[in-house]
């Protein structure tokens, strides 16, 4: 039982001047933990221990990147850990470039969902996200894309109590999608999101005005 609040994040170090806040940097996961992670994702299928060890070395044990690689290798046909490692060895090993390799394996409809979600300001319900993408995807394609992106760990599900679940992007995924496209390429997606927020705000204002 403690009055303290512990915040765990994958973001870079955050430094506060207040003496009441202490920042502790956690290191990456151990090699043994990385091997266990890949074995769990592989569901009994054989993995290359040497390749996992190299992935651990190149990512410095970063849990998010390692898990993203493990999911891709075990769930996306044609994607191998060897290919992902080749990308890292060619100097494409910082965070966004790991995602760049993954982005090319996504279906256009999945990319569309991520592009809309990258422009949102907060976690949203499935219903709201479906409204964002409605001009580009029908409901069935949206549902399939959402399910696929969740299975690939590119979308985070945030369960709610007595309310619909919320869906969000990991901050590194959001940053990658936003920086991949020029502002003029993003404007159409931003406008759709803003229009939907204006509709939501208008509905709330109408409800408040009724009392």
């Amino acid at each position: 039982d403690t009055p303290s609040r512990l915040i765990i994040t994958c973001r870079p170090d955050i430094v506060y001047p207040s003496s009441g806040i202490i920042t502790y940097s956690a290191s990456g996961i151990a090699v043994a933990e990385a091997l266990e992670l890949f074995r769990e994702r592989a569901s009994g299928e054989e993995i290359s221990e040497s390749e996992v060890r190299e992935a651990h070395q190149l990512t410095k044990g970063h849990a998010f990147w390692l898990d993203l690689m493990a999911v891709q290798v075990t769930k996306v046909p044609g994607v191998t850990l060897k290919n992902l490692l080749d990308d890292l060895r060619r100097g494409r090993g910082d965070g966004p470039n790991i995602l760049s390799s993954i982005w090319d394996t996504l279906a256009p409809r999945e990319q569309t969902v991520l592009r809309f979600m990258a422009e949102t300001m907060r976690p949203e319900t499935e219903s709201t996200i479906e409204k964002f993408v409605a001009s580009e995807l029908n409901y069935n394609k949206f549902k399939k894309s959402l399910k696929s992106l969740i299975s690939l760990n590119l979308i985070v599900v945030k369960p709610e109590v007595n309310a619909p679940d919320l869906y969000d992007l990991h901050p590194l995924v959001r940053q990658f999608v936003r920086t991949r496209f020029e502002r003029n390429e993003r404007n159409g997606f931003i406008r759709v999101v803003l229009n939907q927020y204006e509709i939501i705000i208008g509905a709330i204002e109408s409800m408040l005005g009724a009392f």
Side-chain angles (χ1 to χ4, degrees), residues 20-37:
I21 299 176
I22 299 175
T23 300
Y24 174 79
S25 296
S27 59
I29 64 175
V31 174
E33 293 169 323
L35 288 166
E36 182 181 358
L37 169 63

Side-chain angles (χ1 to χ4, degrees), residues 77-210:
V79 175
T80 65
L81 184 53
K82 181 180 182 301
N83 291 339
L84 292 177
L85 290 174
D86 287 342
D87 283 344
L88 296 179
R89 294 191 202 98
R90 284 195 290 268
R92 300 173 58 191
D94 57 332
N97 280 326
I98 292 177
L99 285 169
S100 183
S101 298
I102 293 172
W103 181 265
D104 294 335
T105 68
L106 299 176
R109 67 188 185 207
E110 294 166 349
Q111 295 176 356
T112 297
V113 172
L114 291 179
R115 291 189 66 180
F116 277 110
M117 290 188 66
E119 305 300 347
T120 61
M121 302 304 296
R122 59 182 298 280
E124 296 292 353
T125 63
E126 178 182 323
S127 175
T128 300
I129 298 171
E130 194 274 328
K131 290 183 175 67
F132 291 151
V133 307
S135 61
E136 300 289 335
L137 303 175
N138 63 36
Y139 182 73
N140 287 336
K141 288 184 178 180
F142 163 68
K143 285 288 290 184
K144 289 179 181 178
S145 299
L146 187 67
K147 182 178 179 180
S148 174
L149 292 168
I150 292 171
S151 72
L152 294 174
N153 277 7
L154 293 172
I155 289 180
V156 180
V157 182
K158 299 183 175 181
E160 293 288 297
V161 178
N162 299 323
D165 290 345
L166 297 176
Y167 299 83
D168 200 7
L169 299 184
H170 187 286
L172 293 175
V173 176
R174 186 184 305 277
Q175 178 187 25
F176 164 77
V177 177
R178 286 186 174 183
T179 56
R180 184 176 178 85
F181 299 95
E182 298 293 335
R183 181 57 183 250
N184 64 316
E185 296 177 287
R186 294 172 51 199
N187 283 341
F189 292 83
I190 294 172
R191 187 68 257 170
V192 169
V193 171
L194 288 177
N195 287 343
Q196 191 59 44
Y197 281 146
E198 289 171 359
I199 293 172
I200 294 172
I201 292 171
I204 294 173
E205 288 176 341
S206 296
M207 291 174 59
L208 293 175

Side-chain angles (χ1 to χ4, degrees), residues 38 41-43 45 47 69-77 79:
F38 274 81
R41 287 296 188 191
S43 300
E45 296 182 15
I47 62 168
M69 294 169 75
V71 170
Q72 288 290 309
V73 169
T74 56
K75 293 191 176 183
V76 181
V79 175

